[in-house]
Amino acid sequence: MTSEGSAGAGRYAPSPSGELHLGNLRTAMLAWLFARSTGRAFLMRVEDLDRARDAGAAEAQLAELRALGLEWDGRAVRQSERIELYRSALARLDAAGLVYECTCARREILDAVRAPHAPPGSYPGTCRDRTPRERAAARDAISPRLPALRLRTPSGAEELGFEDLLMGRVSGWADDLVLRRGDGVFAYNLAVVVDDAEMGVDQIVRGDDLAPSTARQIVLQRLLGLPSPPRVSYAHVPLVLGPNGARLAKRDGAVTLSDLAERGVAPDEVRSRLAVSLGMAEPGETITMPQLLGRFDPARIPLEPWTWCDAPDDGSALQRPDHP
Ligand code: GLU
Ligand code: ZN
């Protein structure tokens, strides 16, 4: 596997919450193409902190990715096997005085009064400056629920920007993010930052719904002394939308490889249709991942979301509707 001094690595990091849908598969294809076209390793990481028992879903997802022709280097890593890494990162932050307990319920955070420039839902700092006595009382008050642990962002909260390979300049709000939830589960932002650094990942390709989280992750990278932009590059990929204009979901019909297989659409054809959606193949053309690699040009990736319509009647289960 990659380590310091090598050509670096890209990765795909699915959450095993069910079958991958076309949006996930399209992002995975792009992650593979970005990594392979830049001479990087391509790594796989199952983000199962929330669902460590969902082993079946993870295996199914990996099989789906293989069926599409995406090969990765080494074995797929599982976050549920890496708790010790997150624990030690948290301990380092704590030793630096950068961790505090938060007893807020979600509702309280949503309803809180915050600075005028702070986005809705961002953490208003409620529990940040408690005295030991206040902390103990707050903890008692939520018992048996346990406090979450938050990062004491040195700036309090800040707008932070980075250059995205696809989106250009992106800025996000970096507040006192959760490091470990009240139920003891390490938070996504901590795990992803620790894992990417530990795995030698220096190119992160993922759905653009995560673009706003990147600012928080960069703050964490810096505080933990891990590589951050420009040493780490980001490409946030436009989402796939369903016919109703919302993010593609199960309700939108045949959206997974197995749904499509039931309609006679084989993985090879799904790959072709996804390639068409990326402007990398002609409709009806059969194409392999190595062939796509030869055609890959990040500058030509469509930047608008791809709207997918299920069209079971005319036999073409995937099509790109004309946009008005
Ligand atoms: N596990 C996340 C997801 O499936 C992706 C995390 C990442 O790529 O940073 O949405
Ligand atoms: Zn709080």
Side-chain angles (χ1 to χ4, degrees):
M1 215 162 281
T2 49
S3 58
E4 274 174 28
S6 76
R11 48 70 158 182
Y12 185 62
S15 300
S17 52
E19 289 168 67
L20 297 172
H21 64 52
L22 292 167
N24 307 129
L25 296 170
R26 191 171 183 260
T27 299
M29 269 175 72
L30 284 172
W32 187 93
L33 288 165
F34 265 103
R36 295 296 191 216
S37 66
T38 52
R40 286 177 164 84
F42 180 63
L43 307 179
M44 189 60 62
R45 180 173 72 236
V46 176
E47 304 216 315
D48 61 352
L49 284 181
D50 238 350
R51 321 163 200 275
R53 284 156 294 155
D54 243 3
E59 279 312 322
Q61 289 186 338
L62 297 177
E64 286 154 20
L65 293 165
R66 277 191 214 100
L68 208 61
L70 301 179
E71 296 294 333
W72 54 92
D73 299 304
R75 121 191 140 81
V77 158
R78 280 162 211 269
Q79 288 189 323
S80 56
E81 297 167 352
R82 299 162 64 84
I83 305 294
E84 214 36 63
L85 288 173
Y86 316 135
R87 203 181 311 242
S88 87
L90 180 69
R92 280 169 58 204
L93 294 168
D94 194 25
L98 293 171
V99 179
Y100 67 90
E101 290 183 358
C102 168
T103 51
C104 297
R106 192 179 296 267
R107 187 77 251 163
E108 294 173 274
I109 294 174
L110 289 173
D111 292 346
V113 179
R114 51 177 64 72
H117 54 288
S122 60
Y123 188 65
T126 320
C127 305
R128 184 175 161 115
D129 297 312
R130 283 184 170 148
T131 63
R133 183 194 295 262
E134 287 167 343
R135 200 181 318 130
R139 206 201 265 238
D140 280 350
I142 64 162
S143 172
R145 194 160 69 81
L146 289 171
L149 298 178
R150 284 188 185 270
L151 178 72
R152 187 185 303 279
T153 311
S155 63
E158 64 180 313
E159 183 98 28
L160 189 144
F162 66 98
E163 284 308 316
D164 189 274
L165 295 173
L166 295 177
M167 297 174 74
R169 189 83 190 159
V170 174
S171 65
W173 188 251
D175 57 1
D176 283 358
L177 58 124
V178 172
L179 298 168
R180 203 185 70 192
R181 305 187 327 209
D183 61 6
V185 174
F186 286 97
Y188 157 71
N189 283 310
L190 176 69
V192 86
V193 160
V194 168
D195 280 335
D196 282 333
E198 197 280 336
M199 293 165 74
V201 169
D202 64 350
Q203 179 192 62
I204 295 173
V205 179
R206 58 188 178 192
D208 67 7
D209 53 328
L210 290 168
S213 299
T214 307
R216 290 172 168 147
Q217 294 174 18
I218 292 171
V219 167
L220 260 183
Q221 287 164 345
R222 291 179 182 162
L223 292 172
L224 285 166
L226 302 174
S228 64
R231 274 180 72 194
V232 178
S233 55
Y234 288 90
H236 287 94
V237 174
L239 291 179
V240 177
L241 306 179
N244 54 2
R247 194 213 273 224
L248 188 69
K250 262 292 193 198
R251 60 167 185 269
D252 296 321
V255 297
T256 65
L257 285 187
S258 62
D259 297 339
L260 289 162
E262 274 176 31
R263 298 195 179 182
V265 183
D268 284 349
E269 191 176 343
V270 176
R271 184 194 315 113
S272 294
R273 301 297 183 102
L274 292 173
V276 172
S277 84
L278 292 166
M280 295 179 68
E282 293 303 322
E285 188 183 355
T286 303
I287 190 146
T288 63
M289 288 308 298
Q291 285 171 322
L292 283 173
L293 191 54
R295 297 183 186 182
F296 183 60
D297 176 2
R300 296 183 57 192
I301 297 172
L303 297 180
E304 68 284 2
W306 179 50
T307 302
W308 175 79
C309 286
D310 192 7
D313 295 329
D314 65 3
S316 72
L318 292 165
Q319 65 176 19
R320 177 168 194 166
D322 292 325
H323 288 281

